Amino acid sequence: MTNFTLAELEQIVAKRAAATDGSSYTASLIAKGQHKAAQKLGEEAVETVIAAMMQDEKAVISESADLLYHLMVVWKIAGVSLESVMEELDNRTSQTGLQEKAARKPE
């Protein structure tokens, strides 16, 4: 079992986002803006779904790692922290999913 955490991934994304020497994929993706980062996130989500539908455990693991990385990049650009997302999840787990959904304001 690994001790690697999403908090560590968030720190790595932040460090690589600051790279200016042209060696960082993260920095180049961020430079392309939120539209491109979100597009990549969507691609990885689709690839994860396909792997799951194919019941390919190895591919699900690999694509999920890509998905989490690209989600962190999207969050970085948006100024969203892992902590804020975890707080939201914590708030939501105080009730069932059906209770949470029923409490939402209509759009």
Side-chain angles (χ1 to χ4, degrees):
M1 180 84 180
T2 182
N3 291 325
F4 188 76
T5 67
L6 290 177
E8 289 172 304
L9 178 58
E10 182 179 46
Q11 292 170 354
I12 290 167
V13 167
K15 181 179 177 183
R16 292 182 181 172
T20 58
D21 63 359
S23 66
S24 171
Y25 170 74
T26 302
S28 68
L29 183 56
I30 289 172
K32 293 176 184 173
Q34 188 65 287
H35 180 80
K36 183 63 175 177
Q39 178 186 3
K40 289 297 294 177
L41 176 63
E43 290 171 9
E44 298 303 341
V46 169
E47 290 171 3
T48 304
V49 168
I50 291 168
M53 292 175 65
M54 300 297 294
Q55 299 182 345
D56 183 342
E57 181 181 1
K58 185 175 178 181
V60 170
I61 292 167
S62 177
E63 296 301 342
S64 294
D66 291 343
L67 179 62
L68 287 171
Y69 161 76
H70 284 89
L71 180 59
M72 288 284 182
V73 172
V74 165
W75 288 353
K76 174 71 176 158
I77 295 169
V80 171
S81 68
L82 173 62
E83 181 178 357
S84 65
V85 174
M86 297 308 288
E87 286 174 4
E88 179 65 19
L89 286 170
D90 187 42
N91 291 337
R92 289 183 182 196
T93 58
S94 65
Q95 56 188 336
T96 70
L98 294 176
Q99 291 169 328
E100 187 274 330
K101 188 174 182 178
R104 291 183 195 166
K105 295 178 182 175
E107 294 181 17

